[in-house]
Amino acid sequence: MGLQAQTLVSAKWLANMVNRNLVGPGLRILDTSWYLPMMNRDAKKEFAETHIPGASFFDIDECSDRTSKFDHTLPNEQFFADYVGNLGIGNDSHVVVYDASDFGAFSCTRVWWMFRLFGHPQVSVLNGGFRDWVKRGHPTTGTYSRPEAARFTATMERSWVKSFEDMTKNINTQQFQVVDVRPRERFLGWEPEPREGVKSGHIPGSKCMPFFEFLDKDGMMLSPGKLKEFFEQSQIDLHKPLCGSCGSGVTACHMVLAAHLCGAPWATVYGGSWYEWFTKAPPEHVATEVKPEI
């Protein structure tokens, strides 16, 4: 692994880089916006209309194993290397990721995690995302110039990804803690999942920490102190192994980022998350709770 980049960068810092024309082979910016169908947003169309100057668009669905029946399954090393290389990213590039969600961060943590997973720790998240960038009056553009392709070599850290089999065994062995970052109502089985044919509920023994609760009202990541309090309140021990899960492996990476900021960089992700779990698990392993009468 190469040099470790600062985990979070501010809009002020990035604007300074943009204003000094430092976006190039040494600094690449990626708009990683991705939305659920229910959000009624077209990430590519929005990027074409407005984005941070010098940014390229990273498509989570395109940079995936398209042969899998599950959404945005991780690609192999060569595919990832070719994909990011075509965005002008080399092994010496510092990559800054952001998304344009109303949360301040939604899908960008997934791409932050993917770069680290494939051996590139020189990646940062724009704290507050495009929401904060615009709020602070920094420049935007609808013009895109594709960067010159670069050579990127990827080495995947496979131990950072948990499989369905790993999750099934863990129900009995409890070798790692499972953190589900979907909204509590879906975790408890009280509200429907966004994917047709998938019922809500959770993996037995998992704990719920909704991804948006890692952020403050302005869409900024909570301080490490407040994040540690949130983990403690959720009965998660940061000194022990932990694994993030969500609907399909995107927002689970918020937990990984939060744990990383708390000094626990060993958090893993269940790639298939709830979508795969509900599809494959026996009914007794789809846990729900009875909704109280009001």
Side-chain angles (χ1 to χ4, degrees), residues 86-121:
N86 284 330
L87 294 176
I89 297 167
N91 291 102
D92 293 328
S93 302
H94 177 193
V95 181
V96 175
V97 298
Y98 75 91
D99 63 58
S101 72
D102 294 334
F103 295 105
F106 184 65
S107 52
C108 63
T109 57
R110 160 76 177 206
V111 181
W112 169 84
W113 174 74
M114 286 178 73
F115 271 98
R116 293 177 53 77
L117 174 72
F118 285 105
H120 192 76

Side-chain angles (χ1 to χ4, degrees), residues 6-224:
Q6 189 173 335
T7 306
L8 300 175
V9 295
S10 68
K12 181 180 179 180
W13 178 88
L14 187 58
N16 183 45
M17 297 291 116
V18 170
N19 293 337
R20 292 166 60 195
N21 295 314
L22 293 178
V23 180
L27 175 66
R28 293 298 185 193
I29 306 171
L30 297 179
D31 181 329
T32 66
S33 300
W34 173 88
Y35 304 108
L36 290 163
M38 61 189 285
M39 293 176 168
N40 295 315
R41 292 183 65 174
D42 185 331
K44 279 186 177 178
K45 182 174 181 289
E46 290 182 18
F47 174 81
E49 293 170 352
T50 182
H51 54 264
I52 294 174
S56 293
F57 187 76
F58 184 106
D59 190 320
I60 289 174
D61 286 326
E62 281 187 11
C63 189
S64 67
D65 178 358
R66 307 302 289 275
T67 66
S68 172
K69 69 175 185 177
F70 299 109
D71 293 343
H72 31 260
T73 298
L74 287 166
N76 60 35
E77 292 166 327
Q78 191 58 55
F79 190 100
F80 182 83
D82 290 344
Y83 186 87
V84 302
N86 284 330
L87 294 176
I89 297 167
N91 291 102
D92 293 328
S93 302
H94 177 193
V95 181
V96 175
V97 298
Y98 75 91
D99 63 58
S101 72
D102 294 334
F103 295 105
F106 184 65
S107 52
C108 63
T109 57
R110 160 76 177 206
V111 181
W112 169 84
W113 174 74
M114 286 178 73
F115 271 98
R116 293 177 53 77
L117 174 72
F118 285 105
H120 192 76
Q122 294 164 259
V123 57
S124 306
V125 170
L126 175 60
N127 201 10
F130 195 59
R131 168 185 164 181
D132 185 64
W133 179 271
V134 172
K135 177 183 174 183
R136 295 180 184 277
H138 295 308
T140 62
T141 184
T143 302
Y144 173 62
S145 298
R146 189 177 188 86
E148 185 178 338
R151 179 176 172 79
F152 188 95
T153 303
T155 305
M156 185 179 183
E157 182 54 69
R158 299 182 188 281
S159 66
W160 288 9
V161 186
K162 298 297 184 185
S163 66
F164 175 78
E165 291 71 25
D166 293 330
M167 304 303 287
T168 301
K169 290 176 186 174
N170 192 62
I171 291 176
N172 294 320
T173 63
Q174 295 289 295
Q175 290 187 324
F176 53 87
Q177 306 160 96
V178 180
V179 178
D180 191 321
V181 306
R182 290 172 300 148
R184 285 189 174 84
E185 292 76 12
R186 284 167 56 192
F187 175 86
L188 296 170
W190 297 352
E191 288 190 0
E193 287 292 304
R195 290 172 177 81
E196 190 175 342
V198 179
K199 294 181 180 178
S200 56
H202 58 271
I203 299 169
S206 58
K207 300 284 174 56
C208 184
M209 295 181 73
F211 77 88
F212 44 83
E213 293 187 19
F214 291 112
L215 307 167
D216 67 17
K217 61 181 177 58
D218 296 314
M220 313 293 280
M221 283 296 293
L222 297 178
S223 67

